[in-house]
Amino acid sequence: MDSLDHMLTDPLELGPCGDGHGTRIMEDCLLGGTRVSLPEDLLEDPEIFFDVVSLSTWQEVLSDSQREHLQQFLPQFSEDSAEQQNELILALFSGENFRFGNPLHIAQKLFRDTEAAESSFV
């Protein structure tokens, strides 16, 4: 995660919220071995989540080195690996199912459901 460390550790520029209090509720998440705080809305609201976790973010926001780092976690193919990985990325961000669903949709649902389950215990 070296190439993504600054994205996970740099403080976010948080502007005022709609409630006028200027604070946002943050959720602690464990990504790999790194604990990060993410805005609750990002985890709970599918529209916000998929605006951020999108093909346009992949193409326009992440640097080449960040994309290369993340591609290490994709399956490796014997022939035309880069081309097949690009097809896989397009399928992932377009919502295609991978046997038991789309991993991004599953992740967002787990984030949302985990938060709802934790809230019910408070």
Side-chain angles (χ1 to χ4, degrees):
M1 293 240 276
D2 295 338
S3 63
L4 298 177
D5 282 347
H6 75 279
M7 292 178 71
L8 299 175
T9 57
D10 288 351
L12 295 173
E13 295 292 327
L14 298 178
C17 294
D19 64 6
H21 294 95
T23 60
R24 292 193 176 160
I25 298 172
M26 303 296 281
E27 292 292 328
D28 286 338
C29 298
L30 192 59
L31 298 175
T34 305
R35 183 174 298 280
V36 296
S37 291
L38 297 172
E40 182 181 68
D41 291 342
L42 172 70
L43 301 175
E44 290 185 3
D45 187 328
E47 186 175 341
I48 295 171
F49 181 85
F50 291 111
D51 280 347
V52 173
V53 180
S54 67
L55 184 59
S56 65
T57 299
W58 177 266
Q59 294 173 334
E60 300 167 18
V61 176
L62 297 180
S63 68
D64 289 340
S65 63
Q66 290 168 331
R67 285 191 297 272
E68 288 171 12
H69 176 77
L70 292 171
Q71 284 174 311
Q72 295 176 53
F73 301 103
L74 293 174
Q76 301 297 311
F77 301 96
S78 57
E79 295 180 22
D80 297 325
S81 186
E83 169 111 12
Q84 289 184 336
Q85 282 187 338
N86 286 335
E87 290 175 12
L88 185 63
I89 291 165
L90 290 173
L92 185 66
F93 288 119
S94 68
E96 287 186 32
N97 284 337
F98 293 76
R99 296 188 186 185
F100 298 105
N102 181 283
L104 294 179
H105 290 263
I106 293 168
Q108 195 284 321
K109 185 177 185 320
L110 288 171
F111 286 140
R112 185 187 65 227
D113 292 349
T114 299
E115 173 57 28
E118 289 174 0
S119 295
S120 66
F121 292 112
V122 176

